[in-house]
Short mmCIF file of all heavy atoms in Angstrom, two decimals:
data_model
loop_
_atom_site.label_atom_id
_atom_site.label_comp_id
_atom_site.label_asym_id
_atom_site.label_seq_id
_atom_site.Cartn_x
_atom_site.Cartn_y
_atom_site.Cartn_z
N ILE A 222 -11.09 39.26 29.76
CA ILE A 222 -11.52 38.99 28.38
C ILE A 222 -12.37 40.15 27.87
O ILE A 222 -13.27 40.61 28.59
CB ILE A 222 -12.36 37.70 28.35
CG1 ILE A 222 -11.46 36.50 28.61
CG2 ILE A 222 -13.09 37.53 27.03
CD1 ILE A 222 -12.24 35.21 28.77
N PRO A 223 -12.11 40.64 26.65
CA PRO A 223 -12.96 41.70 26.11
C PRO A 223 -14.34 41.15 25.74
O PRO A 223 -14.42 40.13 25.06
CB PRO A 223 -12.21 42.15 24.86
CG PRO A 223 -11.39 40.98 24.45
CD PRO A 223 -11.07 40.21 25.70
N VAL A 224 -15.39 41.81 26.21
CA VAL A 224 -16.73 41.27 25.95
C VAL A 224 -17.66 42.24 25.24
O VAL A 224 -18.65 41.83 24.63
CB VAL A 224 -17.42 40.81 27.26
CG1 VAL A 224 -16.73 39.59 27.84
CG2 VAL A 224 -17.46 41.93 28.29
N ALA A 225 -17.34 43.54 25.30
CA ALA A 225 -18.24 44.51 24.66
C ALA A 225 -17.45 45.72 24.22
O ALA A 225 -16.40 46.05 24.79
CB ALA A 225 -19.33 44.92 25.63
N ILE A 226 -17.94 46.38 23.18
CA ILE A 226 -17.33 47.64 22.74
C ILE A 226 -18.44 48.68 22.64
O ILE A 226 -19.50 48.42 22.04
CB ILE A 226 -16.62 47.47 21.39
CG1 ILE A 226 -15.47 46.46 21.55
CG2 ILE A 226 -16.07 48.82 20.90
CD1 ILE A 226 -14.67 46.20 20.32
N ASP A 227 -18.19 49.83 23.22
CA ASP A 227 -19.17 50.92 23.24
C ASP A 227 -20.54 50.44 23.69
O ASP A 227 -21.56 50.78 23.08
CB ASP A 227 -19.24 51.58 21.86
CG ASP A 227 -17.93 52.25 21.49
OD1 ASP A 227 -17.18 52.64 22.41
OD2 ASP A 227 -17.63 52.36 20.29
N GLY A 228 -20.56 49.62 24.70
CA GLY A 228 -21.81 49.15 25.28
C GLY A 228 -22.47 48.01 24.53
O GLY A 228 -23.49 47.49 24.96
N LYS A 229 -21.90 47.62 23.41
CA LYS A 229 -22.49 46.52 22.63
C LYS A 229 -21.74 45.22 22.88
O LYS A 229 -20.55 45.12 22.59
CB LYS A 229 -22.40 46.84 21.13
CG LYS A 229 -23.74 47.30 20.54
CD LYS A 229 -23.63 47.46 19.04
CE LYS A 229 -23.16 48.84 18.69
NZ LYS A 229 -22.37 49.14 17.61
N SER A 230 -22.46 44.23 23.42
CA SER A 230 -21.82 42.92 23.59
C SER A 230 -21.60 42.30 22.21
O SER A 230 -22.44 42.44 21.34
CB SER A 230 -22.72 41.98 24.38
OG SER A 230 -22.94 42.50 25.64
N MET A 231 -20.47 41.65 22.06
CA MET A 231 -20.20 41.03 20.76
C MET A 231 -19.60 39.66 20.99
O MET A 231 -18.90 39.46 21.97
CB MET A 231 -19.16 41.84 19.99
CG MET A 231 -19.69 43.10 19.40
SD MET A 231 -18.37 43.94 18.48
CE MET A 231 -18.87 45.61 18.78
N ASN A 232 -19.87 38.75 20.04
CA ASN A 232 -19.22 37.45 20.19
C ASN A 232 -17.73 37.64 19.89
O ASN A 232 -17.33 38.61 19.23
CB ASN A 232 -19.91 36.38 19.34
CG ASN A 232 -19.52 36.44 17.88
OD1 ASN A 232 -18.34 36.59 17.54
ND2 ASN A 232 -20.49 36.34 17.01
N PRO A 233 -16.89 36.75 20.41
CA PRO A 233 -15.44 36.95 20.35
C PRO A 233 -14.90 37.24 18.95
O PRO A 233 -14.05 38.12 18.77
CB PRO A 233 -14.88 35.64 20.89
CG PRO A 233 -15.95 35.10 21.77
CD PRO A 233 -17.25 35.52 21.17
N ILE A 234 -15.39 36.53 17.95
CA ILE A 234 -14.85 36.73 16.60
C ILE A 234 -15.24 38.12 16.09
O ILE A 234 -14.41 38.88 15.59
CB ILE A 234 -15.38 35.65 15.63
CG1 ILE A 234 -14.93 34.26 16.10
CG2 ILE A 234 -14.90 35.91 14.21
CD1 ILE A 234 -15.55 33.11 15.32
N LYS A 235 -16.53 38.44 16.25
CA LYS A 235 -17.04 39.76 15.80
C LYS A 235 -16.27 40.88 16.47
O LYS A 235 -15.93 41.89 15.84
CB LYS A 235 -18.53 39.90 16.16
CG LYS A 235 -19.46 39.24 15.18
CD LYS A 235 -19.91 40.21 14.09
CE LYS A 235 -20.00 39.58 12.71
NZ LYS A 235 -20.73 38.32 12.67
N LEU A 236 -16.05 40.73 17.76
CA LEU A 236 -15.38 41.78 18.52
C LEU A 236 -13.98 42.08 17.94
O LEU A 236 -13.61 43.23 17.75
CB LEU A 236 -15.28 41.36 19.99
CG LEU A 236 -14.76 42.43 20.95
CD1 LEU A 236 -15.52 42.37 22.27
CD2 LEU A 236 -13.27 42.28 21.21
N ILE A 237 -13.27 41.04 17.64
CA ILE A 237 -11.91 41.25 17.12
C ILE A 237 -11.94 41.82 15.70
O ILE A 237 -11.19 42.74 15.36
CB ILE A 237 -11.09 39.96 17.23
CG1 ILE A 237 -10.82 39.75 18.72
CG2 ILE A 237 -9.79 40.04 16.46
CD1 ILE A 237 -10.13 38.51 19.10
N GLU A 238 -12.88 41.31 14.90
CA GLU A 238 -13.01 41.86 13.54
C GLU A 238 -13.37 43.34 13.59
O GLU A 238 -12.82 44.16 12.85
CB GLU A 238 -14.09 41.09 12.75
CG GLU A 238 -13.61 39.72 12.32
CD GLU A 238 -14.72 38.86 11.71
OE1 GLU A 238 -15.92 39.22 11.85
OE2 GLU A 238 -14.39 37.84 11.11
N TYR A 239 -14.29 43.67 14.50
CA TYR A 239 -14.76 45.05 14.62
C TYR A 239 -13.63 45.99 15.00
O TYR A 239 -13.44 47.05 14.39
CB TYR A 239 -15.88 45.08 15.68
CG TYR A 239 -16.45 46.46 15.94
CD1 TYR A 239 -17.44 47.00 15.12
CD2 TYR A 239 -16.01 47.23 17.01
CE1 TYR A 239 -17.97 48.26 15.35
CE2 TYR A 239 -16.52 48.49 17.27
CZ TYR A 239 -17.51 49.00 16.44
OH TYR A 239 -18.01 50.24 16.67
N ILE A 240 -12.88 45.60 15.99
CA ILE A 240 -11.81 46.48 16.48
C ILE A 240 -10.65 46.57 15.47
O ILE A 240 -10.03 47.62 15.31
CB ILE A 240 -11.37 46.04 17.89
CG1 ILE A 240 -10.60 47.15 18.57
CG2 ILE A 240 -10.61 44.80 17.93
CD1 ILE A 240 -10.56 46.98 20.05
N ASN A 241 -10.40 45.49 14.75
CA ASN A 241 -9.41 45.55 13.67
C ASN A 241 -9.80 46.62 12.65
O ASN A 241 -8.98 47.42 12.21
CB ASN A 241 -9.32 44.20 12.95
CG ASN A 241 -8.26 43.29 13.55
OD1 ASN A 241 -7.27 43.74 14.10
ND2 ASN A 241 -8.47 41.99 13.45
N LYS A 242 -11.08 46.60 12.29
CA LYS A 242 -11.58 47.56 11.28
C LYS A 242 -11.48 48.99 11.78
O LYS A 242 -10.99 49.88 11.10
CB LYS A 242 -13.05 47.25 10.99
CG LYS A 242 -13.26 46.35 9.82
CD LYS A 242 -14.43 46.85 8.95
CE LYS A 242 -14.53 46.01 7.70
NZ LYS A 242 -15.22 44.75 7.97
N LYS A 243 -12.01 49.20 12.99
CA LYS A 243 -12.07 50.55 13.55
C LYS A 243 -10.68 51.16 13.70
O LYS A 243 -10.41 52.27 13.26
CB LYS A 243 -12.73 50.51 14.94
CG LYS A 243 -14.22 50.53 14.88
CD LYS A 243 -14.70 51.96 14.77
CE LYS A 243 -16.20 51.96 14.55
NZ LYS A 243 -16.75 53.27 14.30
N ALA A 244 -9.80 50.39 14.35
CA ALA A 244 -8.46 50.92 14.63
C ALA A 244 -7.68 51.06 13.33
O ALA A 244 -6.95 52.05 13.14
CB ALA A 244 -7.73 50.01 15.61
N GLY A 245 -7.87 50.10 12.41
CA GLY A 245 -7.20 50.19 11.11
C GLY A 245 -7.61 51.44 10.36
O GLY A 245 -6.77 52.10 9.72
N SER A 246 -8.87 51.81 10.46
CA SER A 246 -9.36 52.99 9.74
C SER A 246 -8.76 54.27 10.31
O SER A 246 -8.74 55.30 9.65
CB SER A 246 -10.89 53.04 9.75
OG SER A 246 -11.34 53.46 11.03
N ALA A 247 -8.28 54.22 11.56
CA ALA A 247 -7.65 55.40 12.16
C ALA A 247 -6.12 55.34 12.01
O ALA A 247 -5.40 56.13 12.59
CB ALA A 247 -8.02 55.49 13.64
N GLY A 248 -5.65 54.36 11.26
CA GLY A 248 -4.20 54.28 11.00
C GLY A 248 -3.41 53.65 12.13
O GLY A 248 -2.18 53.72 12.15
N VAL A 249 -4.12 52.98 13.04
CA VAL A 249 -3.44 52.41 14.21
C VAL A 249 -3.07 50.94 13.95
O VAL A 249 -3.87 50.19 13.39
CB VAL A 249 -4.37 52.50 15.45
CG1 VAL A 249 -3.89 51.58 16.57
CG2 VAL A 249 -4.47 53.93 15.93
N GLY A 250 -1.88 50.53 14.39
CA GLY A 250 -1.57 49.10 14.41
C GLY A 250 -0.44 48.63 13.53
O GLY A 250 -0.26 47.43 13.34
#
Side-chain angles (χ1 to χ4, degrees):
I222 290 172
V224 291
I226 297 180
D227 296 334
K229 257 186 272 147
S230 298
M231 284 182 213
N232 79 44
I234 299 172
K235 278 268 141 49
L236 187 141
I237 289 176
E238 285 172 346
Y239 179 83
I240 197 160
N241 268 332
K242 266 223 174 81
K243 277 275 173 186
S246 76
V249 164

